[in-house]
DNA sequence: TTTT
DNA sequence: TTTT
């Protein structure tokens, strides 16, 4: 029963390799620093460039995938939500941090990115979701404005099962 | 291993009450017609208004919630993906349809909307996702730019469990 | 020549009335505090609720509209980008802040929100965009709440002008 | 005074080279066919893959940029809105089409994509956006007669001018 | 700290 | 600080 939408969509490049730690229960928690640069013209007509560095955190399976496939320089699509935290530093001072808690990730560009591991294939990841739930299979070819069409997709329920 | 992002975000009002049918396996499939109106100025400076009517479909539990809580006139936030289908009409002609397959929904405005059922409380719904997975509980107060802070939130793993 | 996408979409309620100040050049800068609440189940099955308070800032005309139409309690859709700032406090300490710089806003729910000014009509606002740019006008027929399709829209260029 | 949000975010690859035509008034109208592939597991645990082919249209300056920099195979981020159209075919039959009218585009992967033109640098494009709206006049960079997008940063006012 |  |  959420009240509100808190959604972030980022496309950017990693400033460093991902850093992964594990919780006591063994869950991966991977962090990346993601740059997004935007450009605008100021009132004098000069080009102004500004880069934001996002702290993005991936939990669980997603964290493992990020750790394995992303590297410094990798370009990535991330979807998640903003989380603001307050904590007390070692000096007793209150500090604030802002993180993007990712729930979807997609590698871009077809190459892993920077240096090593570049041979990784492009892939994406998100929490599994089951579609449909009905009976037999249907073959509903995708609409393709192009000659060659895509193969059928399975709605997981047969034609007779479709109520519309 | 998806290749691509196909994401739709809509905020609009229902043109009619939702229509629900059930698959043979008992899964709800609820459809709504959702209006979004945009306004632009043409080059003559005249205001141009245009309404798009989106066919949105909700499966399973989400379909049941939509059927129960939304009515003609209800304002709603919908997130989903575009699905293009091709089928053959009774006249043997090929036809195309475009649907938004919803995976998240949130009622807006606090009132159900139109006529009946208006007493429904505001609520939202999306496929359950489990967060974290670690051990004990932590109390990580939300960052509040203001004096009074938010109560703790449970990351499902204790402080000692947090690797950062 | 931007490199990256930095996009935030929020739906939430104002915790207080908007606060507006003006730059020396007379531009409005309006700030709101926007709450989004999410709910998840922890691994024990307990419902966990957490509210994020977003600092959202609106510049210029958008800032004026927000100041005029939104109130404490108002529900609103906001689109913008994340901006991280670092500054030095009066105590000489470095501090960080995170803001959502809004570029689109839409009032939700049909009522202004909280207390006064509730009689405001629902409206939205965003930087004006010109559509089309071509020749004559087309007719923009009424909308049918039904079948997916749309009647004509005014593309600001005549049918003969449409290259497809 | 829009009522509603109609937003589409796509990341995909072009199935063919872009096709550009010009209106009588000389505005570019460029179309691409963009593939997004998603994967899900059906209830039998089998992997199901489905590709949607989106018809995306870019007007004005954005259309020119797409025509120049994108090629078959290029990976691209697109933001826009859904537009449903109804028209009458040569056979007198009513037909429907669905287009994504883009207002923002960003090339991904650093390489143009498929075959020729691969040497193009990565870049992005969106209609210029002016921030603010206050006092004197700012320099308003040329506007493309087209869609439009959002605001952004570029505070265009000095530090002393910032009221927060 | 990335990327161009 | 909102909202439910």
């Amino acid at each position: 029963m959420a009240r509100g939408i808190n959604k972030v969509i980022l496309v950017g490049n990693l400033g460093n390799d991902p850093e992964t730690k594990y919780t006591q229960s063994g869950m991966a928690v991977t962090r990346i620093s993601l740059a997004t640069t935007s450009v605008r013209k100021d009132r004098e007509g000069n080009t102004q460039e500004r880069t934001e560095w996002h702290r993005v955190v991936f939990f669980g399976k997603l964290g493992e995938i990020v750790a394995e496939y992303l590297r410094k320089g990798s370009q990535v699509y991330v979807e998640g939500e903003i989380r603001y935290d307050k904590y007390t530093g070692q000096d007793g001072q209150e500090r604030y941090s802002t993180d993007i808690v990712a729930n979807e990730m997609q590698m871009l560009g077809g190459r892993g990115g920077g240096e090593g591991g570049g041979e990784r294939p492009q892939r994406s990841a998100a929490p599994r979701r089951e579609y449909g739930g009905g009976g037999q299979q249907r073959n509903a070819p995708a609409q393709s404005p192009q000659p060659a069409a895509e193969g059928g997709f399975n709605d997981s329920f047969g034609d007779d099962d479709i109520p519309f």
Side-chain angles (χ1 to χ4, degrees), chain A:
Chain A
M1 212 166 316
R3 278 141 2 238
I5 298 295
N6 173 0
K7 183 170 293 293
V8 178
I9 289 171
L10 304 174
V11 174
N13 296 277
L14 277 73
N16 279 307
D17 286 350
E19 295 178 15
T20 302
K21 296 191 178 176
Y22 292 85
T23 66
Q24 291 179 348
S25 59
M27 180 180 64
V29 181
T30 300
R31 288 181 170 281
I32 65 171
S33 188
L34 192 66
T36 61
T37 300
S38 58
V39 177
R40 295 210 177 59
K41 292 215 185 251
D42 63 21
R43 57 197 315 244
E44 278 82 35
N46 300 318
T47 293
Q48 299 296 339
E49 185 169 311
R50 176 176 169 136
T51 297
E52 305 299 332
W53 285 97
H54 305 87
R55 298 158 35 104
V56 185
V57 58
F58 305 83
F59 291 98
K61 184 61 180 163
L62 207 48
E64 296 171 15
I65 293 170
V66 165
E68 182 174 359
Y69 290 98
L70 297 187
R71 291 291 173 270
K72 177 180 180 177
S74 296
Q75 190 179 35
V76 68
Y77 169 97
V78 168
E79 188 181 330
E81 57 184 87
I82 311 177
R83 191 181 66 183
Y84 308 100
D85 284 305
K86 181 166 95 180
Y87 61 96
T88 304
Q90 311 90 306
D91 59 356
Q93 290 264 335
E94 285 187 345
R95 300 238 177 289
Y96 300 90
S97 64
T98 300
D99 292 295
I100 309 303
V101 180
N103 50 51
E104 190 164 356
M105 185 275 300
Q106 174 129 7
M107 293 176 61
L108 301 175
R111 319 130 310 131
E115 29 209 81
E119 249 20 80
R120 291 306 187 182
Q122 180 179 350
R123 62 165 297 171
S124 94
R128 286 303 119 219
R129 325 176 203 171
E130 293 280 328
Y131 231 107
Q136 317 91 284
Q137 303 291 62
R138 161 170 87 134
N139 202 305
Q143 177 201 42
S144 158
Q146 285 342 55
E150 264 302 303
F153 182 59
N154 241 311
D155 283 12
S156 323
F157 49 87
D159 269 330
D160 302 341
D161 209 359
I162 298 178
F164 292 94

